[in-house]
Amino acid sequence: EFTFVPVLLGMQSELTFLKSLPPRARERHITAQFIRSSARNPNMNRLMIQEGFNKTWRNDYITTRLLQPFRDYIRQLTEGSTLIRLLDEDPHVRYVFLGACNMVFSRPGEVSALYGEDVFTDRFIDRHIDTVISILENFTGREQREGPND
């Protein structure tokens, strides 16, 4: 709860703002905010990986008290958004999104050893946001259906 609740409260405070955005801008904002949150809280993903191996009381607690509220939040933002709808409906899309957004922050030593990069710098985080958004837009086919600024 120490890790998750502040993130959830921050997201909920933006709900009205996000609903007012066009779908593509909403997707970009949610993705960027999630990546920034993952960089600030790398233990969130580490905890989820550790606790997600088996169905235990801790996993049930995390799912019921913390993950379901995130899912309920996302459901309020699906209108007009293929990506956000798929995040809610399709486990494959959800976990590709989660891994793309936060795995790099769970393995900073590996990234440093292989690429000489510090994953917690603003430059790295901004580039990661651009990369993930580009991949997700390609995945959902947005670039073919919409113009570059829609």
Side-chain angles (χ1 to χ4, degrees), residues 93-105:
V93 175
R94 176 186 172 89
Y95 290 98
V96 165
F97 176 84
L98 291 173
C101 287
N102 63 29
M103 185 57 73
V104 71
F105 304 111

Side-chain angles (χ1 to χ4, degrees), residues 24-43:
R24 185 167 178 199
R26 189 178 330 134
E27 293 167 357
R28 288 172 168 267
H29 185 82
I30 289 169
T31 302
Q33 290 302 92
F34 185 66
I35 289 171
R36 289 187 196 291
S37 176
S38 295
R40 284 189 306 271
N41 304 295
N43 287 332

Side-chain angles (χ1 to χ4, degrees), residues 30-113:
I30 289 169
T31 302
Q33 290 302 92
F34 185 66
I35 289 171
R36 289 187 196 291
S37 176
S38 295
R40 284 189 306 271
N41 304 295
N43 287 332
M44 187 165 49
N45 185 48
R46 293 174 188 147
L47 174 70
M48 295 310 303
I49 290 170
Q50 181 64 36
E51 294 301 331
F53 277 109
N54 299 300
K55 188 161 175 48
T56 65
W57 70 267
R58 289 188 312 268
N59 184 280
D60 290 344
Y61 179 86
I62 290 169
T63 301
T64 302
R65 298 266 305 170
L66 306 171
L67 296 182
Q68 192 59 49
F70 277 106
R71 192 169 187 201
D72 294 343
Y73 171 81
I74 288 295
R75 284 183 172 154
Q76 297 177 64
L77 299 169
T78 60
E79 185 177 339
S81 170
T82 301
L83 175 61
I84 297 173
R85 181 181 51 77
L86 289 172
L87 286 173
D88 177 44
E89 296 175 357
D90 189 330
H92 304 287
V93 175
R94 176 186 172 89
Y95 290 98
V96 165
F97 176 84
L98 291 173
C101 287
N102 63 29
M103 185 57 73
V104 71
F105 304 111
S106 295
R107 303 177 82 162
E110 180 180 308
V111 175
S112 178

Side-chain angles (χ1 to χ4, degrees), residues 106-140:
S106 295
R107 303 177 82 162
E110 180 180 308
V111 175
S112 178
L114 289 174
Y115 299 97
E117 295 269 2
D118 178 351
V119 301
F120 301 111
T121 65
D122 289 339
R123 184 187 64 75
F124 186 93
I125 293 166
D126 290 342
R127 176 123 190 264
H128 193 65
I129 290 168
D130 292 342
T131 301
V132 171
I133 287 172
S134 176
I135 290 167
L136 292 172
E137 286 178 344
N138 187 50
F139 175 77
T140 60

